Amino acid sequence: MKDIKEIDLKKIKSPGGSLSFFEKGKDIDFDIKRVYYIYEFCQENRRGFHAHKDLKQVMWCPHGAIEIDFTDGKETIKYILNDPTKIIVVNKGYWREFVSLKENSILCVGASDVYSEDDYIRDYNKYLEWVEENYEKDTV
Ligand code: T46
């Protein structure tokens, strides 16, 4: 999927610990207007089951391991976030489902816009219709 990028960040180690960072202009091409994070996962339950019509996101897992499955309605790609030096940059338009693979995992998200339920497609059949209407016009 061309509009999902996995990026390995630098790890700057010092006696006090390690530090990683990502930047607009280098790793992401949008301003982050909202940050949210998911924690206290129920490991049995998958989350997600939606796509975003416009939102761009950067995702990282500072602790634990998270599996995220993205689909564009045709192919599905599985990503594992299990290292704080790894980020995934996701363009609009991908259906996603995710699950925690380890206890106490945390999924952090930097988003290109504030929360708006109007940006969500939460029904998979509606998502497939949306892809059909937008696939040629946009970069899904
Ligand atoms: C995504 C994945 C990775 C808010 O009120 N404000 C917010 O900023 C967010 C993100 C959610 N909410 C509300 C909406 C729902 O009533 O929190 C509730 C749980 O949200 P949702 O069911 O969408 O949670 P996830 O874990 O399925 O999805 C979330 C994000 O919504 C979504 O953008 O990509 O994390």
Side-chain angles (χ1 to χ4, degrees):
M1 270 168 229
K2 59 182 177 193
D3 275 338
I4 303 178
K5 271 190 303 182
E6 200 173 33
I7 298 173
D8 290 315
L9 305 173
K10 260 200 249 169
K11 181 173 185 172
I12 303 173
K13 289 183 95 166
S14 61
S18 299
L19 180 154
S20 295
F21 64 94
F22 55 87
E23 293 176 324
K24 186 188 168 193
K26 185 168 162 255
D27 307 296
I28 61 171
D29 66 355
F30 55 90
D31 286 324
I32 292 178
K33 292 197 185 157
R34 174 171 52 120
V35 172
Y36 51 92
Y37 37 96
I38 299 155
Y39 53 99
E40 297 177 352
F41 273 87
C42 170
Q43 279 185 256
E44 290 76 45
N45 290 340
R46 290 171 77 79
R47 297 182 63 110
F49 303 98
H50 62 255
H52 286 287
K53 292 182 226 167
D54 281 310
L55 198 72
K56 296 179 177 185
Q57 296 161 303
V58 52
M59 300 180 177
W60 69 103
C61 174
H63 184 78
I66 308 283
E67 176 191 312
I68 312 178
D69 299 324
F70 290 102
T71 183
D72 59 6
K74 292 185 172 68
E75 63 170 323
T76 300
I77 297 190
K78 187 188 295 289
Y79 288 89
I80 308 282
L81 278 174
N82 59 1
D83 180 332
T85 64
K86 204 188 275 188
I87 61 172
I88 307 178
V89 184
V90 190
N91 208 341
K92 64 180 181 177
Y94 293 99
W95 184 268
R96 79 283 313 271
E97 296 175 22
F98 57 101
V99 67
S100 165
L101 303 177
K102 269 191 188 168
E103 223 175 306
N104 300 321
S105 295
I106 302 171
L107 177 65
C108 296
V109 182
S112 62
D113 213 341
V114 297
Y115 174 71
S116 164
E117 189 56 36
D118 289 345
D119 187 62
Y120 285 75
I121 308 169
R122 292 193 186 266
D123 176 286
Y124 191 65
N125 289 325
K126 289 208 173 91
Y127 171 67
L128 293 179
E129 286 169 23
W130 183 88
V131 169
E132 199 64 36
E133 285 162 17
N134 290 273
Y135 204 88
E136 293 305 321
K137 284 183 251 161
D138 283 311
T139 51
V140 174

